[in-house]
C-alpha cells in the first residue's frame, strides 16, 4: 500500500441549494463538488457549509486548546482527522478514529514503555508490529498509523451504523471492548472544533443533508422519525412537559436516536395505577403508555412514549443509531397518535435532568421537525 502525507488543502466548491438555506433547519440539500488544491498559505480550517462540512486542515497551524489535552495531543488529533479527510472518509470515521486514539494512547504518540508496554504496542493506536500493523518505526508515524486504522475500518461491513465502541473494537480487537464509548462526546467536540463543525454533518463527503430519514450524523445521532414538532418543551401552556411531541400517523416506525443500551421497556401505569397500554389513551389518563428508555454514551438518556404496541426491544439490549424500536401510537396520556420524545442528562430520569430535545438534537446534527 502506498502511503502519502495528507495535503494542506482548501476545498473549492460549487454549491446547489434547494429551497431555503436554513442551517440545520429542515428543507436543505447541499451538493458539493470539491476540487482539492494546494494550500497557498491559509492555515485556517476550511469549508463550513450548512450544518458543518469540514475541509482538511494544517496540523502545524494554530490549533484551539481543548481540555484536558495539550498542544501535541491536539496536533495528533488534527493529523488523524486530516488523514481521514485525505482518504475521502466521512466525518463519522474521524470521530471513531479520534476516540480510539484517546482510549489507546490519550492522543500521545507512545514509544516503548518498557515494563508498562502492552506487548509490543506502539504509537497513537497502540498497534502491534508482531500482529502485522507495520514496523515499529511505521506504527509510530501518526500518518501511517492513522492510515492503517482507517484502512481496516473500511473493511468492517456496516461500520457507519455501528456504535462507536463496536466499530473501534472491530478494528482494534482490544481486551477492553467497551472502553471506547466514554470518549465519544469529547471526540465529537474535538472533530467539531478542529474541522469546523464536521461532526454534525449528515451524509458523506459528497452530499450533505440536514436531517434525512435514516441518515446518521457523524456525531452518531439521528432523528427518531420525521414529522412536525407540535407541543414543545416546557411551554407556557404545558410547563411540566419534559419533552416534545412529534405528530405523525399511527404505526410510523420509531428509531433509536443513537447507539446505546435499552434501560426501560414497559407499559407505564396511569394515574389510577392501571397498566392498560393496548388501547388508545386520552388526555388526563396519565402515564407514557408503551415506552422505551435508552442510555447512550456520555450517560445521556432518551425516552420514547405512547407506542401503539409492545416495543420491539427488550431491557439490556444493545441498539444502534437508526434501529427501529417500536411504532407510533396513542397509548397513555395522549390525545392522538404522536411520539413524545425526551432527552435527559446524566441518566437522570426526573424532570431535573430533562433538556429541550429540539436544541439538543440540533447540536448533534440531527435536527427535529422535518416533515414526514
Amino acid at each position: 500500500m502506498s502511503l502519502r502525507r495528507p495535503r494542506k488543502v482548501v476545498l473549492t466548491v460549487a454549491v446547489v441549494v434547494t429551497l431555503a438555506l436554513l442551517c440545520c433547519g429542515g428543507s436543505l440539500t447541499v451538493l458539493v463538488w470539491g476540487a482539492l488544491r494546494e494550500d497557498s498559505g491559509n492555515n485556517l480550517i476550511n469549508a463550513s457549509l450548512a450544518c458543518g462540512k469540514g475541509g482538511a486542515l494544517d496540523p502545524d497551524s494554530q490549533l484551539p486548546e481543548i481540555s484536558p489535552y495539550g498542544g501535541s495531543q491536539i496536533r495528533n488529533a488534527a493529523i488523524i482527522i486530516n488523514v481521514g479527510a485525505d482518504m475521502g472518509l466521512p466525518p463519522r470515521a474521524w470521530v471513531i478514529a479520534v476516540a480510539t486514539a484517546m482510549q489507546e494512547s490519550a492522543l500521545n504518540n507512545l514509544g516503548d514503555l518498557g515494563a508498562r508496554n502492552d506487548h509490543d504496542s506502539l504509537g497513537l493506536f497502540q498497534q502491534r508490529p508482531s500482529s502485522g500493523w507495520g514496523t515499529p518505526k511505521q506504527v509510530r508515524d501518526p500518518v501511517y498509523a492513522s492510515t492503517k486504522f482507517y484502512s481496516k475500518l473500511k473493511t468492517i461491513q456496516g461500520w457507519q451504523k455501528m456504535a462507536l465502541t463496536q466499530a473501534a473494537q472491530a478494528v482494534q480487537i482490544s481486551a477492553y471492548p467497551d472502553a471506547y464509548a466514554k470518549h465519544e462526546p469529547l471526540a465529537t467536540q474535538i472533530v467539531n472544533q478542529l474541522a469546523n463543525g464536521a461532526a454534525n454533518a449528515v451524509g458523506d463527503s459528497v452530499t450533505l443533508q440536514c436531517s434525512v430519514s435514516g441518515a446518521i450524523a457523524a456525531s452518531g445521532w439521528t432523528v427518531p422519525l420525521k414529522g412536525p414538532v407540535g407541543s414543545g418543551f416546557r411551554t407556557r401552556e404545558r410547563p411540566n412537559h419534559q419533552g416534545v411531541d412529534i405528530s405523525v400517523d399511527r404505526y410510523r416506525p420509531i428509531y433509536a436516536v443513537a447507539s446505546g443500551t435499552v434501560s426501560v421497556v414497559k407499559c407505564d401505569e396511569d394515574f389510577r395505577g392501571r397498566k392498560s397500554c393496548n388501547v388508545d389513551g386520552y388526555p388526563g389518563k396519565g402515564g407514557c403508555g408503551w415506552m422505551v428508555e435508552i442510555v447512550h454514551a456520555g450517560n445521556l438518556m432518551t425516552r420514547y412514549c405512547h407506542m401503539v404496541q409492545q416495543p420491539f426491544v427488550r431491557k439490556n439490549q444493545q441498539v444502534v443509531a437508526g434501529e427501529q424500536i417500536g411504532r407510533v401510537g396513542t397509548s397513555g396520556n395522549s390525545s392522538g397518535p404522536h411520539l413524545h420524545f425526551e432527552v435527559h442528562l446524566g441518566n437522570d430520569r426526573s424532570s431535573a435532568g430533562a433538556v429541550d430535545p429540539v436544541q439538543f438534537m440540533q447540536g448533534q446534527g440531527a435536527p427535529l421537525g422535518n416533515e414526514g
Side-chain angles (χ1 to χ4, degrees), residues 246-251 280 306 328-331 334-339:
I246 303 174
S247 300
V248 293
D249 295 335
R250 195 188 305 256
Y251 297 112
D280 287 354
H306 307 312
V328 170
T330 184
S331 57
S334 174
S335 59
H338 71 281
L339 170 66

Side-chain angles (χ1 to χ4, degrees), residues 235-306:
T235 62
R236 180 183 301 177
E237 297 77 14
R238 302 180 71 187
N240 296 318
H241 195 229
Q242 308 305 334
V244 296
D245 294 342
I246 303 174
S247 300
V248 293
D249 295 335
R250 195 188 305 256
Y251 297 112
R252 281 280 299 279
I254 301 169
Y255 304 102
V257 293
S259 300
T261 302
V262 177
S263 56
V264 172
V265 177
K266 70 176 183 178
C267 172
D268 194 32
E269 61 186 32
D270 62 23
F271 287 144
R272 297 183 180 181
R274 300 173 300 183
K275 292 187 176 182
S276 53
C277 294
N278 290 324
V279 296
D280 287 354
Y282 51 85
K285 181 179 181 181
C288 241
W290 281 117
M291 63 175 289
V292 169
E293 292 178 2
I294 302 174
V295 178
H296 311 280
N299 213 21
L300 296 164
M301 184 270 283
T302 53
R303 178 179 291 155
Y304 314 75
C305 296
H306 307 312

Side-chain angles (χ1 to χ4, degrees), residues 123-328:
L124 288 173
F125 296 93
Q126 289 292 277
Q127 293 159 337
R128 296 180 59 189
S130 63
S131 297
W133 286 96
T135 68
K137 181 178 179 180
Q138 286 175 324
V139 299
R140 288 209 65 223
D141 178 341
V143 174
Y144 176 94
S146 300
T147 303
K148 292 290 284 187
F149 178 89
Y150 286 124
S151 296
K152 179 66 180 295
L153 179 66
K154 287 166 63 177
T155 69
I156 309 301
Q157 186 175 4
W159 67 265
Q160 297 93 332
K161 289 193 174 183
M162 287 182 179
L164 182 146
T165 196
Q166 291 176 304
Q169 172 64 5
V171 175
Q172 297 293 105
I173 317 299
S174 168
Y176 305 97
D178 299 323
Y180 304 103
K182 64 180 177 285
H183 300 289
E184 185 167 2
L186 184 53
T188 301
Q189 177 187 335
I190 289 172
V191 170
N192 270 336
Q193 288 192 235
L194 295 184
N196 218 358
N200 289 342
V202 177
D204 56 25
S205 58
V206 177
T207 302
L208 174 63
Q209 295 181 315
C210 293
S211 184
V212 183
S213 180
I216 310 299
S219 61
W221 289 70
T222 188
V223 294
L225 49 73
K226 289 172 63 177
V229 174
S231 184
F233 179 75
R234 294 178 183 168
T235 62
R236 180 183 301 177
E237 297 77 14
R238 302 180 71 187
N240 296 318
H241 195 229
Q242 308 305 334
V244 296
D245 294 342
I246 303 174
S247 300
V248 293
D249 295 335
R250 195 188 305 256
Y251 297 112
R252 281 280 299 279
I254 301 169
Y255 304 102
V257 293
S259 300
T261 302
V262 177
S263 56
V264 172
V265 177
K266 70 176 183 178
C267 172
D268 194 32
E269 61 186 32
D270 62 23
F271 287 144
R272 297 183 180 181
R274 300 173 300 183
K275 292 187 176 182
S276 53
C277 294
N278 290 324
V279 296
D280 287 354
Y282 51 85
K285 181 179 181 181
C288 241
W290 281 117
M291 63 175 289
V292 169
E293 292 178 2
I294 302 174
V295 178
H296 311 280
N299 213 21
L300 296 164
M301 184 270 283
T302 53
R303 178 179 291 155
Y304 314 75
C305 296
H306 307 312
M307 296 184 188
V308 72
Q309 63 196 92
Q310 184 171 339
F312 299 157
V313 291
R314 63 186 183 281
K315 186 176 180 179
N316 297 323
Q317 179 178 334
Q318 301 293 312
V319 294
V320 299
E323 181 173 341
Q324 186 176 352
I325 60 174
R327 292 187 180 277
V328 170

